[in-house]
Amino acid sequence: MRALVIDDSRAIRLILGQVMKKLGFEVVDAGDGQEALNKLKSDGPFDIALVDWNMPVMNGYDFVVNTRKDSQYNDMRLMMVTTETEMAQVVKALEAGANEYVMKPFTKEMIAEKLTLLGLSPE
Amino acid sequence: MALNPGDFEYISKIVREQSAIVLEKGKEYLVEARLTPLATSENFKSIADLAQQMKRDVGGKLIAKVVEAMTTNETSFFRDIHPFEVLKNTIIPELIQKRESQKKLSIWCGASSSGQEPYTLAMLLTENFPQLKNWKIDFIASDISTEMQKRCQEGVYSQLEINRGLPAMLMVKYFQRNGAQWQIKPELRQMIDFRILNLSGRWPLMPKFDLVMMRNVLIYFDVPTKKEILRKVRENLYPDGYVFLGAAETTLNLDDKYERMNFKQSGCYRIKDCL
């Protein structure tokens, strides 16, 4: 299984990438939504994208909206992993097409449980 | 906080006497993890100091707090997922069919801890079986800990807890945010009767159940207590009811009147020859 980790923080990309690798995923990362859209084209397909909300160039919400406009990515799960914790933000992300939502700080167990909910059972 | 062997032995003995929960050698980490926050909040410098004070604890208040801390479980919503898939796809539809004429279902979560399991079940029923709205649902959730019973009734969870296993869609639908915490909505809280019950002690008079959740709790007890609990669960179960144990738990060599159902990793049992 393949995962695209999108976060403007290099540290988070590293930590979340390591978590996903431990859970059996091959990981590619991107520093913002636009770079992620480019990597979908150049390095895809991915089973899941884990997306931060607040990023420069293109934020995670706009990445979700853009991705869901393109039917070739219909099967890719989208999980927001963000510091945004307002209920309205969660609803907004789900309505735009995100499949799951994790509020930072995260743990490996949290990510694993959410992957299971999405039918991507970790190894 | 480190734990010396003498204090581990003493705390294990007290916990065993008070709750029948067995803390074998090798579980020192568990004692440290559970008692360090308590020692800190009670202003002890170490678990050794806490253990010393326990020996002088005439009223038993500190001992009660220690037992409570040791019997509380870490858990998550939809824990282990498989039992809930089996409940949704097979067991609940079957029970609804069988109980259609009475329109009555009775459920017991026997070790509800901080409430994630009963609330998961409440969400599962509300979300997938709207016909139950007109049924009488007797839903009891019990735990040995008074603190946990209170927590369950309040249904308040931290951000960390809300992130554990709960589908975001259900969080949005069934929780409301109060500052940094998240509270389950009243309609779900009102579905469940939260009680205090020591599984290894004398049980109060209870109704017969269609479904008993007894997951990941037998592991804490010695063999005679496990046998006793399984026997009493059987006596409180309708002959065609179901019991769920933890995936790693079994009735094997404990109670031969149960049979394991062939559902993947669900730990689902029923009474033999029930049909």
Side-chain angles (χ1 to χ4, degrees):
Chain A
M1 289 188 287
R2 304 186 76 233
L4 180 59
V5 172
I6 313 160
D7 200 299
D8 59 330
S9 156
R10 193 172 166 271
I12 297 288
R13 287 202 303 274
L14 196 70
I15 295 165
L16 192 51
Q18 279 170 351
V19 164
M20 291 303 284
K21 280 178 192 165
K22 277 185 193 160
L23 294 172
F25 285 77
E26 183 192 330
V27 175
V28 173
D29 65 22
D32 63 70
Q34 186 55 57
E35 188 189 345
L37 285 177
N38 296 341
K39 290 215 168 159
L40 284 182
K41 291 191 182 102
S42 63
D43 294 29
F46 295 95
D47 299 282
I48 184 166
L50 299 104
V51 199
D52 183 22
W53 193 300
N54 298 304
M55 294 181 288
V57 188
M58 181 191 286
N59 69 35
Y61 173 77
D62 288 340
F63 170 81
V64 170
V65 171
N66 276 298
T67 307
R68 285 300 179 231
K69 275 185 199 161
D70 194 334
S71 61
Q72 66 172 310
Y73 304 124
N74 277 356
D75 292 339
M76 183 175 70
R77 276 75 145 192
L78 296 175
M79 190 195 291
M80 300 296 297
V81 183
T82 170
T83 50
E84 293 291 336
T85 60
E86 289 300 323
M87 192 69 102
Q89 299 289 84
V90 184
V91 172
K92 191 176 168 186
L94 294 177
E95 283 178 349
N99 305 95
E100 263 308 331
Y101 200 100
V102 173
M103 292 174 277
K104 289 174 182 171
F106 58 83
T107 64
K108 184 185 163 203
E109 288 71 31
M110 263 177 216
I111 301 292
E113 286 157 0
K114 293 280 187 174
L115 290 171
T116 301
L117 292 174
L118 295 174
L120 298 172
S121 283
E123 285 179 355
Chain B
M1 286 183 191
L3 180 68
N4 68 52
D7 289 334
F8 175 70
E9 204 178 315
Y10 170 70
I11 291 164
S12 304
K13 180 174 160 279
I14 294 284
V15 171
R16 189 183 178 123
E17 283 168 358
Q18 299 273 325
S19 70
I21 284 173
V22 184
L23 293 163
E24 289 159 335
K25 214 173 168 200
K27 292 276 173 81
E28 289 86 350
Y29 72 95
L30 192 65
V31 177
E32 283 175 21
R34 299 274 171 86
L35 295 191
T36 298
L38 178 67
T40 307
S41 69
E42 296 286 320
N43 295 319
F44 293 107
K45 283 184 185 146
S46 63
I47 296 177
D49 287 355
L50 173 75
Q52 280 307 312
Q53 187 58 37
M54 282 168 72
K55 289 170 190 168
R56 293 192 287 267
D57 186 28
V58 183
K61 277 189 181 168
L62 183 61
I63 286 175
K65 284 181 183 173
V66 167
V67 172
E68 195 153 85
M70 288 311 307
T71 53
T72 305
N73 251 327
E74 193 212 333
T75 186
S76 64
F77 293 95
F78 290 88
R79 185 175 177 186
D80 304 329
I81 200 80
H82 300 294
F84 298 103
E85 283 173 350
V86 170
L87 281 164
K88 181 181 146 190
N89 298 324
T90 310
I91 303 292
I92 301 292
E94 183 195 306
L95 286 171
I96 287 177
Q97 204 178 10
K98 283 181 174 171
R99 307 290 188 258
E100 177 63 42
S101 58
Q102 307 99 301
K103 290 197 163 28
K104 185 176 171 297
L105 264 187
S106 50
I107 299 167
W108 175 31
C109 289
S112 55
S113 187
S114 39
Q116 281 88 339
E117 183 181 74
Y119 283 131
T120 296
L121 203 44
M123 284 187 276
L124 185 147
L125 293 176
T126 310
E127 195 66 14
N128 299 288
F129 304 99
Q131 66 269 49
L132 292 177
K133 213 170 178 180
N134 301 319
W135 285 40
K136 184 176 186 319
I137 311 286
D138 288 326
F139 192 156
I140 295 172
S142 64
D143 198 87
I144 188 174
S145 154
T146 41
E147 191 190 318
M148 282 299 120
Q149 184 221 19
K150 193 165 161 271
R151 268 208 68 189
C152 285
Q153 282 170 335
E154 287 168 353
V156 173
Y157 296 93
S158 68
Q159 186 178 302
L160 227 58
E161 290 170 317
I162 209 84
N163 262 328
R164 298 287 311 267
L166 179 66
M169 204 63 93
L170 296 182
M171 180 184 85
V172 165
K173 198 166 173 183
Y174 295 109
F175 286 78
Q176 52 205 18
R177 197 176 155 168
N178 294 332
Q181 298 195 303
W182 304 74
Q183 186 172 32
I184 195 135
K185 287 186 175 170
E187 57 263 38
L188 262 75
R189 295 207 303 272
Q190 286 154 11
M191 276 178 75
I192 307 169
D193 175 8
F194 289 104
R195 299 184 184 178
I196 298 165
L197 193 151
N198 180 355
L199 290 170
S200 67
R202 197 190 158 114
W203 292 13
L205 193 64
M206 294 214 278
K208 286 261 184 192
F209 294 104
D210 298 299
L211 173 65
V212 175
M213 306 297 281
M214 194 60 72
R215 301 192 309 142
N216 306 305
V217 65
L218 291 181
I219 43 168
Y220 291 106
F221 297 110
D222 58 20
V223 169
T225 311
K226 284 180 192 182
K227 286 183 176 177
E228 180 69 2
I229 292 171
L230 285 170
R231 182 186 65 75
K232 289 201 275 191
V233 166
R234 206 160 25 77
E235 286 172 1
N236 282 283
L237 192 69
Y238 281 117
D240 58 350
Y242 291 94
V243 179
F244 282 77
L245 303 182
E249 294 171 320
T250 178
T251 60
L252 214 62
N253 299 325
L254 295 171
D255 192 323
D256 62 6
K257 293 191 172 65
Y258 286 96
E259 66 176 335
R260 192 178 181 113
M261 303 297 292
N262 194 20
F263 300 129
K264 187 187 160 198
Q265 296 171 48
S266 72
C268 179
Y269 290 81
R270 68 177 177 187
I271 297 170
K272 267 183 195 168
D273 307 319
C274 67
L275 299 175

